[in-house]
Amino acid sequence: MKHILLFGAGKSATCLIDYLLVNAPRQKWHVTVADHDLMLIKSKTGKSYYVTPAAIDIKDQAARQKLVQETDLVISLLPPTLHIFVAKDCLQFGKNLLTASYIDPEVQKLEKEIEKAGLLFMYEMGLDPGIDHMSAMKLIHSIEKKGGQISAFRSYCGGLISPESNDNPWQYKISWNARNVVTAGSSGATYREKGKVKEIPYEHLFDQTKTIHIPSLGKLAYYPNRDSLGYMSAYKLEEIPTFMRATLRYPDFCEGWSTLVKLGLTDDKEKVQTNELTYFKWASQHMKIDKQLSNEENIANHLGISAKSKIIRQLKYLGLLNGEEINLGEQTNASVLQNIVESRLSMEQADKDMIVMMHEIEFERRGMTTKLHSFMIAQGEDNMRTAMAKTVGLPLGIMAKLLLQDKFNLTGLHIPILPDIYNPILKELEDYNIRFEESFE
């Protein structure tokens, strides 16, 4: 009997837990799911004989380490800042670790120790990062094998609401960690375009969006994602003139979010006292208010838009123009906004989300320039078994299975860019309708 320990039972864990429990009888696994919320764990694990719920405070070192010591493999779906606790435990007790989160500077410092201990820490094994790396590397390796010279690589991914559930002026609903939605893009973006490094500061990230056409969906907006340049060496494309990774959204979302950034409502540094503070006063904290004008007119004047514009409708939809009090004590603006989007942009039970991913690769072979488009649209089932939960959780589940079957002879700190990793995982993902379609120009 092999033991798997999963830290985190939040939105992204649902389909991973399903996968582990379906496979547990035939693979002879026992699964422990650890989270601070026991009811949440039980809502996802049911009464399965193959699972043990563990309600613990992740920062309780003794409780956490006891679980790590007793397992064969650790999977972490915790918030990114908590992974380092788990990573250090895994190193101390000689356990392999899988997670969907980015490699961060803290775990990077442990790289030599992980290698020396003969362990595998597979990071970025989810959606974006994860499926994007695997599908991109499969294309890149295929082009290079046939003698193609790549000159441009662009990769786009977005968690969106399905067209049939797209019923609010934001064209967006929360299908993953709301905190990550609020802080997305806060460090700005860096990428390479036609040989020049482009840097976009956070305050301009959402107001410079461009669009791409996705088959069967039409136009989607995109904005560059984090530091694209860091992946050029991982993909062995250091020399190419154009390299960009970007996030996809419906166009209306980017316009609205740009407004929230301009109003300072995504700031996560300074705290404000929200008791007896109305939503409108909070939203207009950096503005001069003319008491002769309505709330809509004040905001519209400040932004230089019409009081009947789509952006005003979006702000109204979030409840930012009313006189209700917030009463959350001392909070950063980002925390207040997180609270708002969690309540106003939540998915209803019957709502469905979707994941859209697109790679565009330009290459030359035998004197002919070709552009390859490879895209994937994955649909969610409902507000629990979302496309986001599927695409984040299933790669981790498949990787866990292959690792426990001793299919890999790999140690160290890695992301999934090797054929031995991406080939079997992408193949099994097709069983869950997560597949790519290709076209050439």
Side-chain angles (χ1 to χ4, degrees):
M1 181 72 82
K2 293 282 177 105
H3 285 80
I4 298 172
L5 170 60
L6 168 62
F7 283 112
K11 286 181 190 294
S12 298
T14 314
C15 295
L16 170 58
I17 291 169
D18 288 349
Y19 183 91
L20 296 177
L21 297 189
V22 163
N23 279 275
R26 65 185 87 127
Q27 300 291 339
K28 296 189 170 55
W29 293 342
H30 192 84
V31 182
T32 299
V33 181
D35 195 281
H36 70 280
D37 186 339
L38 184 62
M39 294 309 292
L40 179 65
I41 301 172
K42 288 185 171 177
S43 74
K44 303 205 174 184
T45 58
K47 294 179 179 173
S48 172
Y49 168 77
Y50 297 94
V51 71
T52 300
I56 69 162
D57 175 356
I58 298 300
K59 290 185 178 172
D60 179 342
Q61 186 176 338
R64 193 183 67 239
Q65 291 189 344
K66 185 173 186 297
L67 292 177
V68 172
Q69 273 178 283
E70 293 167 353
T71 197
D72 294 295
L73 174 65
V74 179
I75 305 174
S76 178
L77 278 176
L78 295 171
T81 53
L82 299 177
H83 288 312
I84 192 63
F85 297 116
V86 176
K88 285 180 176 174
D89 292 345
C90 287
L91 194 52
Q92 185 177 339
F93 299 110
K95 309 298 179 183
N96 293 323
L97 171 65
L98 309 178
T99 177
S101 286
Y102 286 97
I103 287 183
D104 61 73
E106 287 299 300
V107 80
Q108 196 93 54
K109 290 176 193 166
L110 305 176
E111 189 168 8
K112 282 181 183 161
E113 290 177 64
I114 297 163
E115 184 69 61
K116 195 175 167 190
L119 297 172
L120 175 61
F121 280 26
M122 181 63 76
Y123 270 61
E124 307 191 13
M125 178 49 93
L127 165 68
D128 173 14
I131 293 175
D132 55 342
H133 295 328
M134 293 188 280
S135 52
M137 288 311 296
K138 190 176 179 185
L139 297 170
I140 291 164
H141 286 154
S142 169
I143 290 167
E144 289 175 342
K145 212 172 183 180
K146 291 170 186 164
Q149 298 286 314
I150 296 170
S151 58
F153 173 89
R154 298 179 185 89
S155 181
Y156 313 87
C157 182
L160 305 163
I161 199 71
S162 259
E164 68 265 36
S165 304
N166 188 2
D167 56 11
N168 71 50
W170 282 89
Q171 298 195 310
Y172 192 77
K173 290 181 185 179
I174 303 283
S175 62
W176 58 309
N177 187 323
R179 175 82 186 160
N180 294 354
V181 175
V182 169
T183 58
S186 54
S187 53
T190 308
Y191 62 101
R192 189 188 281 177
E193 184 74 42
K194 293 179 180 168
K196 290 184 178 169
V197 172
K198 306 267 187 175
E199 291 185 36
I200 303 181
Y202 177 52
E203 51 272 21
H204 295 303
L205 195 59
F206 296 93
D207 60 12
Q208 291 188 5
T209 52
K210 296 169 183 167
T211 60
I212 61 164
H213 180 82
I214 304 286
S216 82
L217 279 179
K219 275 187 184 174
L220 290 179
Y222 67 86
Y223 61 89
N225 185 4
R226 297 177 177 239
D227 179 10
S228 295
L229 305 185
Y231 287 98
M232 294 181 77
S233 57
Y235 289 14
K236 295 193 165 47
L237 295 175
E238 297 100 319
E239 306 303 320
I240 70 170
T242 296
F243 189 100
M244 179 184 68
R245 290 160 49 85
T247 299
L248 292 173
R249 291 284 182 261
Y250 287 115
D252 286 1
F253 175 87
C254 291
E255 284 186 56
W257 204 262
S258 177
T259 303
L260 297 180
V261 173
K262 286 189 177 97
L263 292 171
L265 305 185
T266 59
D267 177 71
D268 202 28
K269 295 185 183 76
E270 291 176 30
K271 292 197 167 179
V272 289
Q273 177 52 256
T274 68
N275 292 346
E276 298 179 11
L277 180 71
T278 68
Y279 282 101
F280 176 67
K281 277 198 171 159
W282 173 72
S284 60
Q285 60 192 281
H286 301 299
M287 290 167 39
K288 283 183 181 172
I289 299 298
D290 183 340
K291 292 190 175 164
Q292 306 295 312
L293 301 175
S294 68
N295 292 351
E296 286 92 331
E297 288 167 333
N298 268 301
I299 291 252
N301 284 356
H302 178 75
L303 295 170
I305 57 175
S306 157
K308 291 182 178 171
S309 74
K310 175 176 57 194
I311 286 169
I312 297 297
R313 283 203 310 279
Q314 288 177 316
L315 299 180
K316 245 181 173 169
Y317 189 84
L318 293 183
L320 300 188
L321 304 183
N322 66 37
E324 278 178 48
E325 291 178 353
I326 301 172
N327 294 331
L328 290 173
E330 205 174 43
Q331 299 282 347
T332 66
N333 286 337
S335 298
V336 176
L337 185 57
Q338 179 183 338
N339 192 270
I340 292 165
V341 299
E342 279 176 331
S343 62
R344 303 290 175 132
L345 297 179
S346 62
M347 288 177 68
E348 301 294 325
Q349 197 166 350
D351 279 340
K352 293 180 181 178
D353 71 327
M354 66 179 178
I355 298 296
V356 182
M357 188 179 286
M358 165 88 98
H359 302 301
E360 289 181 335
I361 305 179
E362 292 173 35
F363 64 96
E364 193 172 302
R365 182 169 168 257
R366 294 179 186 162
M368 186 188 290
T369 302
T370 304
K371 185 186 269 192
L372 163 64
H373 297 270
S374 177
F375 79 97
M376 177 268 288
I377 299 174
Q379 295 281 353
E381 293 167 35
D382 52 39
N383 71 341
M384 281 278 287
R385 283 164 181 82
T386 59
M388 183 67 77
K390 261 201 246 188
T391 50
V392 171
L394 288 173
L396 286 165
I398 299 166
M399 180 72 194
K401 181 177 73 176
L402 295 169
L403 196 51
L404 291 174
Q405 290 174 341
D406 295 322
K407 292 284 171 73
F408 303 121
N409 184 23
L410 187 64
T411 58
L413 176 62
H414 289 274
I415 63 173
I417 54 175
L418 300 172
D420 287 354
I421 305 282
Y422 66 64
N423 279 324
I425 292 174
L426 290 173
K427 190 171 188 303
E428 189 170 337
L429 284 174
E430 291 191 0
D431 297 342
Y432 297 89
N433 284 325
I434 299 168
R435 58 169 61 87
F436 286 80
E437 291 182 35
E438 294 174 14
S439 64
F440 294 86
E441 282 176 41

